[in-house]
Amino acid sequence: MPDLSTHIKLIRSGEVVAFPTETVYGLGADAWNPSAIRKVFEVKGRPSDNPLIVHIANSEEVHNFADKVPDSAQRLMDGFWPGPLTIVLKKKPKVLDLITAGLDTVALRMPDHPLASEFISKTGPLVAPSANRSGKPSPTKAEHVRADFGDNFPVIDGGATEVGLESTVVDLTAEFPLILRPGIIGEEELGSVL
Ligand code: AMP
Ligand code: MG
């Protein structure tokens, strides 16, 4: 396990740090720090109307972001977390509009990667879009992140990511669950748990 102390300090001082997850490398920033979150949009060149996913290391954290955790969400969390599944729930008022692009919902995921878990358990929840400039392919290696953001950009090198495809996104705020973005966890697998 590489030493993460420098990267943890960077997050605590409001900087952005790239880190590996099982899907792709994420560009992490403290989910409670507005200026850190603004940096994510700036660094990526991401339009501010594209909401971010909050990454957590402990499923209890869901309750700090989601207003209600319906039965369906609990089932999916129990069945697929940690893993490449993002759930969208009604947000608590304190969740920053910067994260949700002004929506009244928030997207949450617990990555299945030892470095991501270790990192997030020390920093607290991180917003983390893929660690590439908008319009470029999602990075599956630390080298890809450096190619986009420069050799001195802070990145936790965990080697190649396993899945290489973004998480499945499921909206649980309506009467029926809705897949907003397909991913490695498919409709049938979701259905078997729901
Ligand atoms: P990424 O581009 O991998 O960072 O994933 C962000 C994507 O997650 C967004 O483009 C949306 O598709 C989805 N997403 C994030 N937050 C929400 C939300 N509150 N409601 C619906 N979809 C969301
Ligand atoms: Mg992306």
Side-chain angles (χ1 to χ4, degrees):
M1 179 86 66
D3 178 27
L4 302 181
S5 54
T6 309
H7 297 107
I8 291 165
K9 279 187 202 138
L10 283 169
I11 293 287
R12 287 182 182 157
S13 61
E15 296 303 321
V16 297
V17 172
F19 65 98
T21 76
E22 81 280 31
T23 60
V24 301
Y25 276 73
L27 192 61
D30 180 352
W32 297 114
N33 182 332
S35 78
I37 298 168
R38 264 183 226 110
K39 278 182 200 162
V40 169
F41 285 99
E42 279 164 24
V43 166
K44 268 193 73 96
R46 182 178 175 107
S48 60
D49 62 357
N50 192 355
L52 301 172
I53 296 170
V54 176
H55 291 62
I56 59 179
N58 164 352
S59 53
E60 286 305 303
E61 279 282 1
V62 163
H63 301 281
N64 287 322
F65 292 86
D67 203 29
K68 267 186 302 201
V69 180
D71 212 39
S72 55
Q74 195 59 55
R75 282 169 192 259
L76 291 179
M77 287 156 55
D78 292 343
F80 298 107
W81 280 8
L85 177 72
T86 296
I87 58 175
V88 174
L89 298 172
K90 288 277 180 218
K91 82 175 188 80
K92 282 224 154 90
K94 67 177 175 179
V95 177
L96 296 167
D97 281 336
L98 277 168
I99 296 179
T100 66
L103 298 170
D104 64 351
T105 56
V106 62
L108 294 152
R109 165 168 123 79
M110 192 194 315
D112 184 16
H113 190 290
L115 283 172
S117 308
E118 170 75 11
F119 189 48
I120 300 168
S121 68
K122 299 280 165 53
T123 59
L126 300 177
V127 294
S130 54
N132 53 278
R133 287 194 199 279
S134 276
K136 295 284 191 72
S138 296
T140 55
K141 290 181 173 176
E143 294 93 285
H144 300 157
V145 179
R146 294 193 196 101
D148 259 23
F149 299 124
D151 284 341
N152 294 323
F153 195 85
V155 43
I156 297 171
D157 194 342
T161 63
E162 219 167 273
V163 178
L165 180 73
E166 273 87 350
S167 59
T168 305
V169 180
V170 182
D171 183 351
L172 298 171
T173 63
E175 191 181 352
F176 297 106
L178 183 66
I179 298 179
L180 298 180
R181 178 170 77 183
I184 199 112
I185 297 176
E187 193 175 343
E188 258 181 52
E189 239 184 309
L190 294 168
S192 72
V193 165
L194 291 170

